[in-house]
Amino acid sequence: MMPSDGPRREGRREEGSRRRRARRGAHRPEAGSDRDGWLTQVVHYGFSQVVVLSTPLVWVVYRTTADAGTVRTAAVVGCLVAAVVVGTLRDGRVDAGPPWPTVTARRLGVGDGYRELVGRVASFSAAVGLAVFCGLVVADGGGSAVAVALVAAVVAALVVGSLPVLAGHGRRGTAVRGALHTGGLWAVADWAGLFAPAGVDATVVGCLLVVAVCALVDLRPAVRREAGT
């Protein structure tokens, strides 16, 4: 009789489970650890990343003159909340599903990390752009500045908080990210006045084109991988 492969397969499954738990643990430091504290994660990794990668959208906000006060209030709140969410997910002390997909020096060396950063230009721009759009809807309905800030905060938190879940390159994740990028671009184009018959700022159009290209770069690798399976 041939020996059963059942124990061997079970051992391989257990080993695979241990490796997956170890990888997740590498992204989630133990509570109480002083290494890369929460504030460092929020300020150094969260705020700097959101501000730098959202530079095209920040310029659009700066150049927008219609409802400028509401637009800038919602944009500032959206950026701040996005930074807090990024830092909190990176810190790992809050178990909110998949860990934040960090971009390491090794990933940058093989090129995939740069593609991840380019994709985040579109994702962060969509988060802040949708936050501003929803804030304007509240303001148009007679809402106060506090209501505008609260709505912008919630929208930015929901969009950025969903990014780790959508980081995979499955068909569903790709479709949702594509819808997010498209909705964000449409929202920004709306409140930035690109649908107005005249007076369109060429630099605003250029910034939105940059974000659109980043969105395509984010989606294209996923499409290629799926086509090859």
Side-chain angles (χ1 to χ4, degrees):
M1 293 179 61
M2 297 294 292
S4 174
D5 288 338
R8 184 177 303 174
R9 287 197 296 270
E10 185 65 27
R12 287 198 293 266
R13 283 196 292 268
E14 292 179 358
E15 179 65 23
S17 298
R18 283 195 296 268
R19 290 178 179 176
R20 286 192 293 273
R21 287 194 296 269
R23 286 196 296 269
R24 287 196 294 267
H27 290 282
R28 296 178 177 174
E30 295 181 359
S33 173
D34 291 331
R35 198 187 86 178
D36 287 341
W38 178 80
L39 189 59
T40 300
Q41 296 283 356
V42 170
V43 176
H44 183 70
Y45 294 104
F47 187 72
S48 60
Q49 182 177 166
V50 170
V51 170
V52 171
L53 297 181
S54 300
T55 298
L57 189 70
V58 170
W59 178 256
V60 175
V61 170
Y62 172 73
R63 298 292 294 178
T64 300
T65 56
D67 299 312
T70 302
V71 168
R72 292 173 186 177
T73 298
V76 169
V77 171
C79 285
L80 290 175
V81 171
V84 171
V85 173
V86 171
T88 301
L89 293 178
R90 278 184 57 94
D91 185 65
R93 289 176 175 83
V94 176
D95 190 352
W100 182 261
T102 56
V103 180
T104 62
R106 181 178 180 181
R107 290 187 64 195
L108 288 175
V110 298
D112 187 58
Y114 290 106
R115 192 158 46 234
E116 177 77 24
L117 291 178
V118 168
R120 290 183 191 178
V121 172
S123 298
F124 290 150
S125 296
V128 179
L130 289 170
V132 172
F133 179 82
C134 293
L136 285 169
V137 171
V138 172
D140 291 342
S144 64
V146 174
V148 170
L150 287 175
V151 169
V154 171
V155 172
L158 289 175
V159 174
V160 177
S162 69
L163 295 182
V165 180
L166 303 176
H169 293 293
R171 293 180 183 272
R172 184 174 300 176
T174 302
V176 175
R177 286 203 318 279
L180 179 65
H181 297 332
T182 303
L185 282 168
W186 181 89
V188 175
D190 180 70
W191 56 255
L194 263 66
F195 299 139
V200 177
D201 190 332
T203 61
V204 169
V205 176
C207 287
L208 290 183
L209 286 176
V210 169
V211 175
V213 170
C214 291
L216 292 175
V217 171
D218 177 49
L219 299 174
R220 188 177 180 183
V223 174
R224 281 181 175 177
R225 273 192 283 268
E226 290 167 9
T229 57

